[in-house]
Amino acid sequence: VKESNGKYVITFDGVKIVSSHSKAATIARLGTTAKSIKYKVTDFIDLTDEKDEVRGGKIQLKEQRFSIDQRFTFMEQLVNMVVGGTMKSLIITGEPGTGKTFTVTKQLEKAGMLPPRDYAVIKGFSTPKAMYRALFENQDKLVIFDDCDSILKDLTALNILKAALDSYGKRTISWLTERESEDLPTSFEFKGQVLFISNLPLDRMNSAIMSRAFTVDVSMTMNEKVERMRKILPDINCDLSEGDKEECLDLLVELQDDAIEFNLRTLLK
């Protein structure tokens, strides 16, 4: 809609998703703003005429081909393939609090894997050199990058990750600088596996990274979040009975419109 102040606005269910003085800029920002991501609004069919007189418009929600339970089942199977050495790497995407790390950890426990003996976890911020060191020190193990999306913004770190994710028979990772490190080689062969768990939506992931590994996306609509929570409710270990856990979830669903965040972490709190 073009408002009286000259701004173009896209709304969904009465909520202003994005606006700009340029129609092209308004549509281009779709899928990148906080509200756009929150409401899963990623596409817009323009039904205005050449004079920008509104004849109607339609927002499309990005629909997943598979149900949320199917996608989590895929993720479990793919994690098992990485753990078993059938696959070298896996990328898991989806907003925070959807149970990505919870599911991965559960599969690792089922496989009898323990840190740091069998795998290493790099969580949060990492410099390129620290990332290189972690891969070198765990070159024969599974390395899990959890919530390390800052890596994707650093060209050096990104190139190191690309080398680790490569599907070639031999993956050589290099750190070539004028000033050599006393305790690190300039290159080494990485023989381990990589799990990269990202909070970014699938359409914002780096294409060069995605081309090197299988990717499973577990972004959810509100209904899918509730469906998933009910599915894993029996697996949540706490002092509450099953009935009490169901009651907590029912209350959370009832108050979802007033919640600051609505995800698995909200339920666990």
Side-chain angles (χ1 to χ4, degrees):
V1 177
K2 186 176 183 180
E3 295 184 326
S4 57
N5 60 5
K7 277 192 172 184
Y8 293 90
V9 179
I10 294 177
T11 63
F12 171 68
D13 200 20
V15 178
K16 183 182 292 187
I17 301 297
V18 63
S19 65
S20 174
H21 285 288
S22 164
K23 180 194 288 188
T26 304
I27 297 175
R29 291 180 62 199
L30 204 57
T32 63
T33 66
K35 286 184 177 179
S36 183
I37 294 170
K38 176 181 178 181
Y39 289 94
K40 301 292 189 300
V41 179
T42 59
D43 195 14
F44 174 68
I45 297 177
D46 186 11
L47 295 179
T48 57
D49 59 21
E50 294 180 356
K51 297 180 180 180
D52 291 325
E53 293 178 356
V54 178
R55 295 187 290 109
K58 181 182 179 182
I59 293 293
Q60 288 187 324
L61 298 185
K62 186 176 182 180
E63 296 182 355
Q64 292 281 356
R65 180 179 176 185
F66 301 100
S67 72
I68 189 59
D69 281 343
Q70 286 176 315
R71 280 179 274 146
F72 267 90
T73 298
F74 295 155
M75 181 171 73
E76 291 172 355
Q77 293 171 341
L78 291 171
V79 169
N80 291 339
M81 291 175 71
V82 172
V83 169
T86 306
M87 286 171 42
K88 294 180 179 178
S89 57
L90 174 65
I91 298 171
I92 303 170
T93 63
E95 63 192 274
T98 53
K100 301 184 298 294
T101 303
F102 175 85
T103 303
V104 168
T105 302
K106 186 177 176 182
Q107 294 307 115
L108 294 177
E109 290 175 352
K110 285 183 178 180
M113 298 185 69
L114 295 171
R117 184 192 70 188
D118 303 306
Y119 66 91
V121 179
I122 301 173
K123 193 172 182 68
F125 177 80
S126 175
T127 64
K129 188 171 183 178
M131 180 182 175
Y132 182 82
R133 181 183 298 277
L135 289 169
F136 171 70
E137 293 177 348
N138 298 281
Q139 57 188 280
D140 297 311
K141 299 178 183 178
L142 168 64
V143 180
I144 301 173
F145 293 93
D146 189 9
D147 196 14
C148 289
D149 292 325
S150 60
I151 289 174
L152 304 178
K153 300 177 183 178
D154 186 296
L155 186 59
T156 303
L158 185 62
N159 285 331
I160 292 173
L161 179 60
K162 284 160 59 177
L165 291 175
D166 263 335
S167 57
Y168 301 129
K170 185 175 181 179
R171 290 169 290 166
T172 301
I173 303 178
S174 302
W175 181 265
L176 300 174
T177 61
E178 293 182 359
R179 185 176 181 179
E180 295 185 5
S181 177
E182 294 181 358
D183 59 339
L184 286 174
T186 55
S187 66
F188 66 94
E189 182 181 356
F190 182 71
K191 298 181 180 180
Q193 298 83 37
V194 174
L195 277 175
F196 191 87
I197 306 173
S198 173
N199 289 330
L200 293 176
L202 186 62
D203 56 4
R204 291 180 61 192
M205 282 297 296
N206 183 283
S207 59
I209 293 298
M210 290 178 60
S211 69
R212 286 168 164 78
F214 278 97
T215 304
V216 58
D217 179 57
V218 290
S219 300
M220 307 181 210
T221 63
M222 191 66 74
N223 288 338
E224 287 175 330
K225 289 179 183 179
V226 175
E227 178 186 345
R228 184 61 189 169
M229 287 180 187
R230 294 203 185 280
K231 177 77 173 181
I232 67 171
L233 207 57
D235 297 327
I236 296 178
N237 296 319
C238 63
D239 296 329
L240 298 178
S241 67
E242 293 303 314
D244 288 338
K245 287 192 285 187
E246 286 281 358
E247 188 175 340
C248 289
L249 178 55
D250 289 340
L251 179 61
L252 186 61
V253 173
E254 182 181 339
L255 301 175
Q256 62 180 272
D257 292 336
D258 299 316
I260 297 176
E261 62 176 19
F262 185 85
N263 52 44
L264 180 59
R265 288 177 188 161
T266 315
L267 177 62
L268 293 176
K269 291 176 185 177

